[in-house]
Amino acid sequence: MEIIAPAGVEDTLSAALLFKVRVAENGTAQVNVLDASHRNRKIAAVSDAKFPINVQTPYGVYILNKTADFPNGEKLATNIYISGYDMVAENWDKKISISIVSKKSNVIALALKETNIERGKDILNTIIEIYNKNGIIEKNLEAENAARFISDRKKIIEEELFAAEKEIEEYKKINNLTDVGLDTRLALEQNIKYQTQETGLQTQQRIVQIIEEFLLDPLNQYSLIPFASGLNDEASVSAIQQYNELIMNRMRLLRTAKESSPTVELVTEQIDATRNNVLSTIKNHQKSLDVILDNVLAQEKRFLGQIRDLPTQEKEFIRIKRQQSIKQELYIFILQKEEENAMTLAITTPKGQIIDAAYNMNKPVSLSKMVILLIGLIIGGILPMIYLYLKGLLYNKFESKEELEKLTQLPILGEICTNKTSENIVVREGRVTSIVELFKLLRTNIQFVLSGKNEKIILITSSTSGEGKSFVSSNLSASLALLNKKVLLVDMDIRNSKLKDYLGINESVMGLTNYLSTDELSVNDIILRHPVQKNMDVILSGPVPPNPAELLLSDKIDALFSELREEYDYIILDSAPVGMVADTFGVVRVSDAVIYVCRANYTEKNNIYYLNSLVEQNRLRNVSLVINATSARQGYGYGYGKTRND
């Protein structure tokens, strides 16, 4: 299968596209296109399409078509990735490592981790091959530019040298000179050092002049400067080399970018600045040469004054000969550079020499499958133990009945599973659910707690709010009422009463605090008859008094419950949490049993330890526990432990 991408998209594509193709036996295909660069976000999809398939994406239209090897009549599932050149190059750049073999050598090593051995070798060998090709191209480009400039300068110097030699010939003819006299030879031998210096200095001046003319010529604005090696000034040579490096860098960038690109413009600005620096440097060198040459000429003039008796023709001949020597030296220099440049063009030696071609390691560079499997087994065995240890060390709440039994010796009457309904009263006549059955089991177990005939009052409390104390009190009362027993639910949490809202009682009625704070009300005035269901009466807490603790310690509490014992079979007291206020301890005296409600994954272990200390101090008596919001389920029918769907 092949994908035809929009023209030029490889140069501009900024994302990695994943084409998931699923072909059915009948030849229809489903194509999903995901943006692999952004968490596989779906960007296009095609269903039940025949080949060739056009897929419209935000990055253009892609065409999927069959190849000669496509298995017709068979199911096919394949994934195809498409990325831009830049992204692929960046990915490979991250995988390839470059290192120096030794600090004392100029050898570098390339390495690549790759599962496909042959592909890895090809990539490394291709990198070296391209590196050497680019080096040869750069060297030839520099040599070709120098060859053109040398050819132009050679023609000019040839003409100047021919003119100088012609002038000597004409001068000899005019003055009938065939040989230089002995005195002239001696003078020339004594003055040779000055002439040599003068010739060298003037040659340097001419080279500097040539370079300056080259730089000032607009046609050579971004061309390489030749003859840098002919200067004897290190500052000028260094400036020219830096300038040539910038020119080469610009030439490399122009192979893949336009002149208007920010990178090329930045290099161009650097070249312009460096060109000014080169001009300034060679001008300074020119001034230095002028000073030195003036000094040499002065020395020569002084010496020539000593041989003033030489014929005027000889002096003029020396001047003309000197000019011819300068032209000849410069011409020889040009010929030498031309030959060196020709050798550079002829020799195509690569920049880098391959010591060892790409090869694969005999042993895997990563861990073997067996070692990885062994490490996985070790981690799989150790991490769960560490997790369980840290959980037991840091987690300060219990999760199950078994954990609670390890924290206390108090009996556990039952468990209540999590209420997944929106109702507060889940126990109703005729309703059969797991939570109803668990409340019935709790109702049965209470019979073992209330052993005496006249034991009727059950106080229900907890450590803090939110543990389900009111939920258990209300539904336990409703469960007892289903036995056709007269049940009274009393709200004893007079500081923070919520039972009225919990039971959905909207009417304004008198409550417990009204009865305790005045002698004008009777018990019947505060009892609500069957507000929730049959056989279940309720006494609400009433308004919050300014002295709640004193009211609960009054003798009217004892008289009230003595009277209620005569009328009801069970009295459930929904009291305040013992971990927040001390009101509960004031009404424990009237109760026959205490049910302490705790909640799985909510009640802290320290609260259970606190309960143990209360029992040891005899501040709470005949205490039993009920666990709320567990995952327990009670089957309906014979036996225990069966699970049914509610």
Side-chain angles (χ1 to χ4, degrees), residues 496-515:
N496 187 25
S497 175
K498 296 180 180 179
L499 192 60
K500 179 180 179 180
D501 297 332
Y502 203 81
L503 297 177
I505 301 174
N506 298 321
E507 56 184 289
S508 178
V509 295
M510 296 293 181
L512 180 63
T513 55
N514 300 104
Y515 174 81

Side-chain angles (χ1 to χ4, degrees), residues 215-427:
L215 289 173
L216 294 176
D217 190 349
L219 297 177
N220 302 323
Q221 187 175 10
Y222 298 112
S223 299
L224 297 169
I225 302 174
F227 303 146
S229 59
L231 295 174
N232 57 10
D233 180 60
E234 294 182 358
S236 299
V237 173
S238 176
I240 292 172
Q241 289 177 348
Q242 183 180 2
Y243 179 86
N244 284 343
E245 288 176 1
L246 290 172
I247 293 295
M248 291 299 298
N249 188 20
R250 184 176 183 271
M251 290 178 178
R252 284 193 293 267
L253 291 173
L254 287 175
R255 297 177 195 169
T256 58
K258 297 182 180 178
E259 291 188 4
S260 59
S261 69
T263 305
V264 175
E265 290 180 349
L266 177 61
V267 175
T268 302
E269 292 175 0
Q270 294 176 348
I271 290 173
D272 295 337
T274 307
R275 185 187 301 111
N276 295 330
N277 180 49
V278 173
L279 285 171
S280 176
T281 303
I282 62 174
K283 285 182 179 179
N284 292 335
H285 183 49
Q286 178 71 44
K287 293 178 181 178
S288 176
L289 291 174
D290 291 342
V291 173
I292 298 173
L293 182 60
D294 291 340
N295 185 42
V296 171
L297 291 174
Q299 295 292 335
E300 184 181 10
K301 182 178 180 181
R302 186 175 59 191
F303 180 77
L304 290 176
Q306 297 175 1
I307 56 173
R308 65 176 57 93
D309 295 334
L310 291 175
T312 304
Q313 293 88 350
E314 296 292 336
K315 293 181 181 179
E316 184 66 18
F317 180 78
I318 291 172
R319 183 189 65 77
I320 298 173
K321 185 66 178 179
R322 184 189 306 120
Q323 293 297 324
Q324 187 266 346
S325 298
I326 293 173
K327 303 296 182 183
Q328 186 173 355
E329 286 286 336
L330 190 57
Y331 184 71
I332 293 172
F333 173 76
I334 291 290
L335 291 178
Q336 182 182 358
K337 288 298 179 183
E338 185 179 33
E339 190 65 23
E340 290 177 357
N341 196 66
M343 292 178 63
T344 301
L345 283 171
I347 301 173
T348 57
T349 305
K351 295 178 66 176
Q353 182 179 357
I354 300 176
I355 298 176
D356 290 321
Y359 62 93
N360 62 292
M361 304 295 291
N362 293 326
K363 295 182 179 180
V365 295
S366 300
L367 299 177
S368 65
K369 293 182 179 179
M370 291 301 297
V371 174
I372 294 175
L373 179 60
L374 181 60
I375 293 175
L377 291 175
I378 293 174
I379 294 176
I382 294 176
L383 286 182
M385 291 189 290
I386 296 176
Y387 169 75
L388 293 175
Y389 173 76
L390 293 177
K391 182 179 180 182
L393 187 65
L394 302 176
Y395 194 64
N396 64 345
K397 301 178 177 66
F398 72 90
E399 294 182 343
S400 63
K401 178 181 178 182
E402 290 72 19
E403 289 188 30
L404 181 60
E405 289 175 340
K406 296 177 182 179
L407 301 176
T408 182
Q409 299 297 322
L410 296 173
I412 300 175
L413 291 182
E415 300 178 70
I416 306 300
C417 64
T418 303
N419 179 22
K420 296 183 179 180
T421 68
S422 59
E423 297 179 298
N424 294 325
I425 306 300
V426 296
V427 178

Side-chain angles (χ1 to χ4, degrees), residues 72-133:
N72 292 307
E74 298 180 11
K75 289 184 178 180
L76 177 66
T78 183
N79 295 337
I80 304 174
Y81 284 89
I82 293 182
S83 300
Y85 291 145
D86 292 341
M87 180 174 292
V88 173
E90 290 174 2
N91 292 336
W92 282 114
D93 181 61
K94 295 176 183 178
K95 295 180 180 180
I96 297 173
S97 61
I98 304 175
S99 60
I100 300 175
V101 175
S102 174
K103 293 182 179 180
K104 297 182 179 180
S105 69
N106 57 354
V107 180
I108 63 173
L110 300 182
L112 170 63
K113 290 183 179 180
E114 174 61 38
T115 56
N116 189 322
I117 295 175
E118 294 303 321
R119 181 171 66 179
K121 290 181 180 179
D122 290 340
I123 290 173
L124 294 179
N125 289 331
T126 303
I127 290 174
I128 299 299
E129 181 181 350
I130 294 175
Y131 172 77
N132 285 331
K133 284 183 178 179

Side-chain angles (χ1 to χ4, degrees), residues 353-597:
Q353 182 179 357
I354 300 176
I355 298 176
D356 290 321
Y359 62 93
N360 62 292
M361 304 295 291
N362 293 326
K363 295 182 179 180
V365 295
S366 300
L367 299 177
S368 65
K369 293 182 179 179
M370 291 301 297
V371 174
I372 294 175
L373 179 60
L374 181 60
I375 293 175
L377 291 175
I378 293 174
I379 294 176
I382 294 176
L383 286 182
M385 291 189 290
I386 296 176
Y387 169 75
L388 293 175
Y389 173 76
L390 293 177
K391 182 179 180 182
L393 187 65
L394 302 176
Y395 194 64
N396 64 345
K397 301 178 177 66
F398 72 90
E399 294 182 343
S400 63
K401 178 181 178 182
E402 290 72 19
E403 289 188 30
L404 181 60
E405 289 175 340
K406 296 177 182 179
L407 301 176
T408 182
Q409 299 297 322
L410 296 173
I412 300 175
L413 291 182
E415 300 178 70
I416 306 300
C417 64
T418 303
N419 179 22
K420 296 183 179 180
T421 68
S422 59
E423 297 179 298
N424 294 325
I425 306 300
V426 296
V427 178
R428 302 285 185 182
E429 186 175 359
R431 180 178 293 179
V432 180
T433 61
S434 294
I435 195 169
V436 172
E437 294 302 315
L438 289 172
F439 271 110
K440 290 180 178 179
L441 180 61
L442 176 61
R443 178 186 67 189
T444 302
N445 293 337
I446 286 177
Q447 309 303 320
F448 299 99
V449 176
L450 302 174
S451 56
K453 183 177 181 181
N454 198 37
E455 291 185 354
K456 301 179 177 181
I457 301 178
I458 304 172
L459 185 144
I460 298 181
T461 186
S462 64
S463 301
T464 61
S465 61
E467 291 177 302
K469 170 178 61 63
S470 298
F471 175 72
V472 173
S473 302
S474 304
N475 285 281
L476 177 59
S477 301
S479 179
L480 291 169
L482 292 178
L483 297 175
N484 290 323
K485 301 290 186 179
K486 292 191 65 176
V487 180
L488 176 64
L489 175 61
V490 183
D491 186 1
M492 301 293 292
D493 191 357
I494 61 177
R495 294 178 186 263
N496 187 25
S497 175
K498 296 180 180 179
L499 192 60
K500 179 180 179 180
D501 297 332
Y502 203 81
L503 297 177
I505 301 174
N506 298 321
E507 56 184 289
S508 178
V509 295
M510 296 293 181
L512 180 63
T513 55
N514 300 104
Y515 174 81
L516 296 176
S517 58
T518 180
D519 295 331
E520 298 177 357
L521 297 177
S522 65
V523 175
N524 289 326
D525 293 332
I526 61 174
I527 295 178
L528 296 176
R529 305 291 180 179
H530 320 308
V532 177
Q533 68 178 45
K534 182 181 177 181
N535 297 325
M536 178 180 168
D537 296 344
V538 177
I539 295 179
L540 299 177
S541 63
V544 179
N547 55 344
E550 289 75 9
L551 286 179
L552 295 177
L553 291 173
S554 65
D555 294 336
K556 292 191 71 174
I557 287 287
D558 300 272
L560 171 65
F561 286 103
S562 295
E563 183 178 349
L564 293 174
R565 282 178 186 271
E566 301 298 327
E567 183 178 355
Y568 291 95
D569 298 313
Y570 294 99
I571 301 174
I572 308 299
L573 307 182
D574 183 9
S575 181
V578 297
M580 302 180 69
V581 294
D583 296 351
T584 300
F585 301 116
V587 296
V588 168
R589 68 184 188 278
V590 301
S591 66
D592 301 311
V594 175
I595 293 180
Y596 198 93
V597 178

Side-chain angles (χ1 to χ4, degrees), residues 408-411 461 578 585 588 594 596 607-625:
T408 182
Q409 299 297 322
L410 296 173
T461 186
V578 297
F585 301 116
V588 168
V594 175
Y596 198 93
N607 291 331
I608 304 301
Y609 298 145
Y610 176 64
L611 173 62
N612 292 337
S613 66
L614 293 178
V615 175
E616 291 176 0
Q617 298 168 11
N618 204 26
R619 299 180 67 182
L620 295 177
R621 52 191 176 83
N622 197 12
V623 180
S624 301
L625 294 169

